[in-house]
Amino acid sequence: MTVGDDEIWLDDAAGPLVRPYTVSAGRTRPTVELDMLSLVVATGHSPPAMEPEHAKALGRCRTPTSVAEVAAHLRLPLVVTKVLLADLVDCRAMTTRAPRTAADRTDRALLEKLLDGLQHI
């Protein structure tokens, strides 16, 4: 194939290569504050026009899913995934919940329940 032809970039192991800025339309900052541990869930409201990646993210988030997990399933960088998810939050197709704070994660009662559960396995 010569330069100038309509060439498709392929990587034998990865398949078609798409530049991340193409997926996010060149945007590098989400409009909503999202941590990689933030949970996102589809609301059931579909935006009027969606790109394929938006549709895949919505399909993946029928139940609460972390931003990191969505990025892994979409096989996209975290920042690109955050931009896509922020688009969906902005049009009310998705809601988000911030991750628990460090104080919540070290709640003694929760840790005792976890230990009790592990001991009964």
Side-chain angles (χ1 to χ4, degrees):
M1 188 171 276
T2 63
V3 176
D5 289 344
D6 289 331
E7 61 183 279
I8 298 174
W9 290 17
L10 291 172
D11 179 301
D12 292 335
L17 300 177
V18 177
R19 299 273 187 215
Y21 63 80
T22 304
V23 175
S24 64
R27 295 171 293 147
T28 58
R29 292 200 173 111
T31 56
V32 176
E33 185 69 30
L34 292 170
D35 185 90
M36 66 186 284
L37 298 177
S38 296
L39 295 177
V40 290
V41 65
T43 63
H45 172 76
S46 294
M50 284 192 298
E51 296 295 327
E53 291 78 12
H54 288 101
K56 287 179 189 175
L58 272 176
R60 182 73 198 148
C61 296
R62 291 187 192 111
T63 59
T65 309
S66 72
V67 172
E69 189 175 349
V70 175
H73 284 281
L74 294 179
R75 300 179 124 191
L76 290 172
L78 190 61
V79 70
V80 173
T81 302
K82 286 180 179 182
V83 170
L84 295 176
L85 294 175
D87 291 345
L88 294 168
V89 170
D90 288 343
C91 69
R92 293 185 167 85
M94 193 170 278
T95 60
T96 181
R97 188 178 79 204
R100 299 175 89 181
T101 64
D104 291 340
R105 288 190 294 244
T106 57
D107 178 18
R108 184 174 179 89
L110 177 63
L111 292 174
E112 287 175 358
K113 288 178 186 177
L114 177 62
L115 179 61
D116 185 50
L118 291 171
Q119 289 173 341
H120 286 96
I121 292 179

